[in-house]
PDB file of all heavy atoms in Angstrom:
ATOM      1  N   ARG E  54      96.661  38.292  89.154  1.00 96.00           N
ATOM      2  CA  ARG E  54      96.763  36.811  88.828  1.00 96.00           C
ATOM      3  C   ARG E  54      96.371  36.052  90.103  1.00 96.00           C
ATOM      4  O   ARG E  54      95.890  34.920  90.005  1.00 96.00           O
ATOM      5  CB  ARG E  54      98.185  36.514  88.404  1.00 96.00           C
ATOM      6  CG  ARG E  54      98.385  36.873  86.967  1.00 96.00           C
ATOM      7  CD  ARG E  54      99.785  36.342  86.401  1.00 96.00           C
ATOM      8  NE  ARG E  54      99.813  36.498  85.002  1.00 96.00           N
ATOM      9  CZ  ARG E  54     100.217  37.695  84.380  1.00 96.00           C
ATOM     10  NH1 ARG E  54     100.585  38.635  85.072  1.00 96.00           N
ATOM     11  NH2 ARG E  54     100.108  37.743  83.015  1.00 96.00           N
ATOM     12  N   LEU E  55      96.560  36.633  91.277  1.00 95.00           N
ATOM     13  CA  LEU E  55      96.205  36.009  92.521  1.00 95.00           C
ATOM     14  C   LEU E  55      94.684  35.824  92.608  1.00 95.00           C
ATOM     15  O   LEU E  55      94.223  34.768  92.845  1.00 95.00           O
ATOM     16  CB  LEU E  55      96.776  36.789  93.708  1.00 95.00           C
ATOM     17  CG  LEU E  55      96.432  36.234  95.084  1.00 95.00           C
ATOM     18  CD1 LEU E  55      97.211  34.952  95.322  1.00 95.00           C
ATOM     19  CD2 LEU E  55      96.795  37.212  96.199  1.00 95.00           C
ATOM     20  N   LEU E  56      94.021  36.956  92.353  1.00 96.00           N
ATOM     21  CA  LEU E  56      92.543  36.971  92.365  1.00 96.00           C
ATOM     22  C   LEU E  56      92.040  36.050  91.169  1.00 96.00           C
ATOM     23  O   LEU E  56      91.006  35.225  91.461  1.00 96.00           O
ATOM     24  CB  LEU E  56      92.013  38.320  92.272  1.00 96.00           C
ATOM     25  CG  LEU E  56      92.243  39.314  93.445  1.00 96.00           C
ATOM     26  CD1 LEU E  56      91.498  40.596  93.210  1.00 96.00           C
ATOM     27  CD2 LEU E  56      91.733  38.666  94.735  1.00 96.00           C
ATOM     28  N   ALA E  57      92.675  36.167  90.060  1.00 96.00           N
ATOM     29  CA  ALA E  57      92.118  35.283  88.859  1.00 96.00           C
ATOM     30  C   ALA E  57      92.365  33.783  89.118  1.00 96.00           C
ATOM     31  O   ALA E  57      91.564  33.004  88.711  1.00 96.00           O
ATOM     32  CB  ALA E  57      92.848  35.761  87.704  1.00 96.00           C
ATOM     33  N   SER E  58      93.457  33.511  89.908  1.00 95.00           N
ATOM     34  CA  SER E  58      93.776  32.060  90.106  1.00 95.00           C
ATOM     35  C   SER E  58      92.622  31.549  91.187  1.00 95.00           C
ATOM     36  O   SER E  58      92.214  30.408  91.023  1.00 95.00           O
ATOM     37  CB  SER E  58      95.162  31.940  90.714  1.00 95.00           C
ATOM     38  OG  SER E  58      96.158  32.291  89.807  1.00 95.00           O
ATOM     39  N   TYR E  59      92.291  32.378  92.125  1.00 94.00           N
ATOM     40  CA  TYR E  59      91.312  31.784  93.110  1.00 94.00           C
ATOM     41  C   TYR E  59      89.987  31.715  92.375  1.00 94.00           C
ATOM     42  O   TYR E  59      89.091  30.844  92.614  1.00 94.00           O
ATOM     43  CB  TYR E  59      91.180  32.781  94.382  1.00 94.00           C
ATOM     44  CG  TYR E  59      92.379  32.534  95.309  1.00 94.00           C
ATOM     45  CD1 TYR E  59      93.182  33.532  95.610  1.00 94.00           C
ATOM     46  CD2 TYR E  59      92.476  31.261  95.928  1.00 94.00           C
ATOM     47  CE1 TYR E  59      94.207  33.356  96.551  1.00 94.00           C
ATOM     48  CE2 TYR E  59      93.397  31.110  96.826  1.00 94.00           C
ATOM     49  CZ  TYR E  59      94.342  32.140  97.179  1.00 94.00           C
ATOM     50  OH  TYR E  59      95.260  31.923  98.107  1.00 94.00           O
ATOM     51  N   LEU E  60      89.707  32.642  91.491  1.00 94.00           N
ATOM     52  CA  LEU E  60      88.422  32.533  90.669  1.00 94.00           C
ATOM     53  C   LEU E  60      88.385  31.210  89.867  1.00 94.00           C
ATOM     54  O   LEU E  60      87.297  30.677  89.787  1.00 94.00           O
ATOM     55  CB  LEU E  60      88.290  33.791  89.817  1.00 94.00           C
ATOM     56  CG  LEU E  60      87.040  33.894  88.948  1.00 94.00           C
ATOM     57  CD1 LEU E  60      85.783  33.798  89.745  1.00 94.00           C
ATOM     58  CD2 LEU E  60      87.067  35.104  88.015  1.00 94.00           C
ATOM     59  N   ALA E  61      89.517  30.962  89.190  1.00 95.00           N
ATOM     60  CA  ALA E  61      89.596  29.822  88.386  1.00 95.00           C
ATOM     61  C   ALA E  61      89.384  28.606  89.212  1.00 95.00           C
ATOM     62  O   ALA E  61      88.694  27.555  88.831  1.00 95.00           O
ATOM     63  CB  ALA E  61      90.909  29.772  87.660  1.00 95.00           C
ATOM     64  N   LEU E  62      89.961  28.538  90.414  1.00 92.00           N
ATOM     65  CA  LEU E  62      89.935  27.436  91.342  1.00 92.00           C
ATOM     66  C   LEU E  62      88.447  27.249  91.789  1.00 92.00           C
ATOM     67  O   LEU E  62      87.958  26.016  91.789  1.00 92.00           O
ATOM     68  CB  LEU E  62      90.768  27.669  92.507  1.00 92.00           C
ATOM     69  CG  LEU E  62      90.968  26.359  93.464  1.00 92.00           C
ATOM     70  CD1 LEU E  62      91.532  25.261  92.740  1.00 92.00           C
ATOM     71  CD2 LEU E  62      91.741  26.796  94.694  1.00 92.00           C
ATOM     72  N   LEU E  63      87.857  28.322  92.044  1.00 91.00           N
ATOM     73  CA  LEU E  63      86.343  28.249  92.511  1.00 91.00           C
ATOM     74  C   LEU E  63      85.431  27.713  91.367  1.00 91.00           C
ATOM     75  O   LEU E  63      84.580  26.815  91.607  1.00 91.00           O
ATOM     76  CB  LEU E  63      85.875  29.592  92.919  1.00 91.00           C
ATOM     77  CG  LEU E  63      84.371  29.737  93.274  1.00 91.00           C
ATOM     78  CD1 LEU E  63      83.985  28.860  94.495  1.00 91.00           C
ATOM     79  CD2 LEU E  63      84.010  31.205  93.619  1.00 91.00           C
ATOM     80  N   LEU E  64      85.681  28.328  90.213  1.00 92.00           N
ATOM     81  CA  LEU E  64      84.755  27.793  89.056  1.00 92.00           C
ATOM     82  C   LEU E  64      85.082  26.400  88.671  1.00 92.00           C
ATOM     83  O   LEU E  64      84.146  25.613  88.531  1.00 92.00           O
ATOM     84  CB  LEU E  64      85.177  28.636  87.813  1.00 92.00           C
ATOM     85  CG  LEU E  64      84.758  30.146  87.848  1.00 92.00           C
ATOM     86  CD1 LEU E  64      85.311  30.888  86.631  1.00 92.00           C
ATOM     87  CD2 LEU E  64      83.222  30.259  87.913  1.00 92.00           C
ATOM     88  N   CYS E  65      86.305  25.942  88.713  1.00 92.00           N
ATOM     89  CA  CYS E  65      86.617  24.531  88.343  1.00 92.00           C
ATOM     90  C   CYS E  65      86.275  23.559  89.513  1.00 92.00           C
ATOM     91  O   CYS E  65      85.920  22.417  89.152  1.00 92.00           O
ATOM     92  CB  CYS E  65      88.032  24.419  88.004  1.00 92.00           C
ATOM     93  SG  CYS E  65      88.547  25.316  86.514  1.00 92.00           S
ATOM     94  N   ALA E  66      86.423  24.065  90.779  1.00 88.00           N
ATOM     95  CA  ALA E  66      85.925  23.175  91.750  1.00 88.00           C
ATOM     96  C   ALA E  66      84.421  22.942  91.789  1.00 88.00           C
ATOM     97  O   ALA E  66      83.949  21.789  91.977  1.00 88.00           O
ATOM     98  CB  ALA E  66      86.318  23.775  93.167  1.00 88.00           C
ATOM     99  N   THR E  67      83.699  24.032  91.415  1.00 90.00           N
ATOM    100  CA  THR E  67      82.246  23.871  91.258  1.00 90.00           C
ATOM    101  C   THR E  67      81.923  22.902  90.155  1.00 90.00           C
ATOM    102  O   THR E  67      81.054  22.059  90.250  1.00 90.00           O
ATOM    103  CB  THR E  67      81.584  25.197  91.105  1.00 90.00           C
ATOM    104  OG1 THR E  67      81.969  26.154  92.150  1.00 90.00           O
ATOM    105  CG2 THR E  67      80.115  25.115  90.935  1.00 90.00           C
ATOM    106  N   TYR E  68      82.616  23.106  89.054  1.00 90.00           N
ATOM    107  CA  TYR E  68      82.440  22.250  87.858  1.00 90.00           C
ATOM    108  C   TYR E  68      82.752  20.759  88.272  1.00 90.00           C
ATOM    109  O   TYR E  68      82.052  19.842  87.904  1.00 90.00           O
ATOM    110  CB  TYR E  68      83.348  22.692  86.752  1.00 90.00           C
ATOM    111  CG  TYR E  68      83.583  21.637  85.697  1.00 90.00           C
ATOM    112  CD1 TYR E  68      82.669  21.276  84.699  1.00 90.00           C
ATOM    113  CD2 TYR E  68      84.883  20.895  85.538  1.00 90.00           C
ATOM    114  CE1 TYR E  68      82.867  20.274  83.759  1.00 90.00           C
ATOM    115  CE2 TYR E  68      85.058  19.970  84.655  1.00 90.00           C
ATOM    116  CZ  TYR E  68      84.124  19.663  83.774  1.00 90.00           C
ATOM    117  OH  TYR E  68      84.387  18.683  82.760  1.00 90.00           O
ATOM    118  N   GLY E  69      83.839  20.606  89.072  1.00 87.00           N
ATOM    119  CA  GLY E  69      84.227  19.320  89.485  1.00 87.00           C
ATOM    120  C   GLY E  69      83.113  18.620  90.387  1.00 87.00           C
ATOM    121  O   GLY E  69      82.960  17.386  90.273  1.00 87.00           O
ATOM    122  N   VAL E  70      82.550  19.419  91.218  1.00 87.00           N
ATOM    123  CA  VAL E  70      81.433  18.786  92.071  1.00 87.00           C
ATOM    124  C   VAL E  70      80.287  18.316  91.217  1.00 87.00           C
ATOM    125  O   VAL E  70      79.855  17.123  91.411  1.00 87.00           O
ATOM    126  CB  VAL E  70      80.916  19.913  93.051  1.00 87.00           C
ATOM    127  CG1 VAL E  70      79.628  19.349  93.778  1.00 87.00           C
ATOM    128  CG2 VAL E  70      81.964  20.234  94.192  1.00 87.00           C
ATOM    129  N   LEU E  71      79.951  19.126  90.194  1.00 86.00           N
ATOM    130  CA  LEU E  71      78.833  18.676  89.310  1.00 86.00           C
ATOM    131  C   LEU E  71      79.234  17.424  88.471  1.00 86.00           C
ATOM    132  O   LEU E  71      78.473  16.497  88.256  1.00 86.00           O
ATOM    133  CB  LEU E  71      78.455  19.838  88.480  1.00 86.00           C
ATOM    134  CG  LEU E  71      77.905  21.028  89.045  1.00 86.00           C
ATOM    135  CD1 LEU E  71      77.614  22.159  88.071  1.00 86.00           C
ATOM    136  CD2 LEU E  71      76.612  20.773  89.867  1.00 86.00           C
ATOM    137  N   ALA E  72      80.531  17.498  87.883  1.00 83.00           N
ATOM    138  CA  ALA E  72      80.993  16.402  87.189  1.00 83.00           C
ATOM    139  C   ALA E  72      80.978  15.093  88.021  1.00 83.00           C
ATOM    140  O   ALA E  72      80.682  13.972  87.520  1.00 83.00           O
ATOM    141  CB  ALA E  72      82.407  16.740  86.684  1.00 83.00           C
ATOM    142  N   SER E  73      81.486  15.243  89.323  1.00 82.00           N
ATOM    143  CA  SER E  73      81.575  14.048  90.164  1.00 82.00           C
ATOM    144  C   SER E  73      80.169  13.502  90.443  1.00 82.00           C
ATOM    145  O   SER E  73      80.050  12.234  90.435  1.00 82.00           O
ATOM    146  CB  SER E  73      82.189  14.499  91.456  1.00 82.00           C
ATOM    147  OG  SER E  73      83.525  14.904  91.277  1.00 82.00           O
ATOM    148  N   LEU E  74      79.132  14.320  90.611  1.00 82.00           N
ATOM    149  CA  LEU E  74      77.818  13.859  90.885  1.00 82.00           C
ATOM    150  C   LEU E  74      77.240  13.184  89.702  1.00 82.00           C
ATOM    151  O   LEU E  74      76.544  12.099  89.780  1.00 82.00           O
ATOM    152  CB  LEU E  74      76.969  15.075  91.243  1.00 82.00           C
ATOM    153  CG  LEU E  74      77.184  15.666  92.639  1.00 82.00           C
ATOM    154  CD1 LEU E  74      76.341  16.867  92.821  1.00 82.00           C
ATOM    155  CD2 LEU E  74      76.784  14.680  93.706  1.00 82.00           C
ATOM    156  N   ILE E  75      77.541  13.725  88.509  1.00 81.00           N
ATOM    157  CA  ILE E  75      76.983  13.058  87.280  1.00 81.00           C
ATOM    158  C   ILE E  75      77.791  11.657  87.034  1.00 81.00           C
ATOM    159  O   ILE E  75      77.119  10.726  86.721  1.00 81.00           O
ATOM    160  CB  ILE E  75      77.318  14.023  86.059  1.00 81.00           C
ATOM    161  CG1 ILE E  75      76.451  15.225  86.158  1.00 81.00           C
ATOM    162  CG2 ILE E  75      77.082  13.268  84.785  1.00 81.00           C
ATOM    163  CD1 ILE E  75      76.684  16.239  85.083  1.00 81.00           C
ATOM    164  N   LEU E  76      79.099  11.717  87.242  1.00 75.00           N
ATOM    165  CA  LEU E  76      79.907  10.509  87.046  1.00 75.00           C
ATOM    166  C   LEU E  76      79.581   9.412  88.113  1.00 75.00           C
ATOM    167  O   LEU E  76      79.828   8.277  87.886  1.00 75.00           O
ATOM    168  CB  LEU E  76      81.294  10.823  86.922  1.00 75.00           C
ATOM    169  CG  LEU E  76      81.784  11.584  85.678  1.00 75.00           C
ATOM    170  CD1 LEU E  76      83.213  12.008  85.732  1.00 75.00           C
ATOM    171  CD2 LEU E  76      81.481  10.734  84.388  1.00 75.00           C
ATOM    172  N   LEU E  77      79.065   9.835  89.218  1.00 72.00           N
ATOM    173  CA  LEU E  77      78.714   8.780  90.228  1.00 72.00           C
ATOM    174  C   LEU E  77      77.566   7.906  89.774  1.00 72.00           C
ATOM    175  O   LEU E  77      77.563   6.636  90.159  1.00 72.00           O
ATOM    176  CB  LEU E  77      78.254   9.514  91.521  1.00 72.00           C
ATOM    177  CG  LEU E  77      79.380   9.944  92.468  1.00 72.00           C
ATOM    178  CD1 LEU E  77      78.811  10.757  93.711  1.00 72.00           C
ATOM    179  CD2 LEU E  77      80.152   8.842  93.041  1.00 72.00           C
ATOM    180  N   ILE E  78      76.759   8.384  88.951  1.00 72.00           N
ATOM    181  CA  ILE E  78      75.629   7.556  88.387  1.00 72.00           C
ATOM    182  C   ILE E  78      76.002   7.132  86.954  1.00 72.00           C
ATOM    183  O   ILE E  78      75.173   6.368  86.356  1.00 72.00           O
ATOM    184  CB  ILE E  78      74.287   8.322  88.456  1.00 72.00           C
ATOM    185  CG1 ILE E  78      74.382   9.665  87.704  1.00 72.00           C
ATOM    186  CG2 ILE E  78      73.915   8.650  89.955  1.00 72.00           C
ATOM    187  CD1 ILE E  78      73.062  10.362  87.545  1.00 72.00           C
ATOM    188  N   SER E  79      77.064   7.669  86.461  1.00 66.00           N
ATOM    189  CA  SER E  79      77.504   7.259  85.160  1.00 66.00           C
ATOM    190  C   SER E  79      78.956   6.983  85.092  1.00 66.00           C
ATOM    191  O   SER E  79      79.736   7.845  84.641  1.00 66.00           O
ATOM    192  CB  SER E  79      77.177   8.361  84.132  1.00 66.00           C
ATOM    193  OG  SER E  79      77.537   7.998  82.762  1.00 66.00           O
TER     194      SER E  79
END
Side-chain angles (χ1 to χ4, degrees):
R54 285 189 170 85
L55 183 66
L56 293 183
S58 297
Y59 283 121
L60 177 62
L62 188 63
L63 174 63
L64 291 174
C65 292
T67 304
Y68 162 75
V70 170
L71 297 175
S73 298
L74 289 172
I75 293 171
L76 290 172
L77 278 175
I78 58 175
S79 177

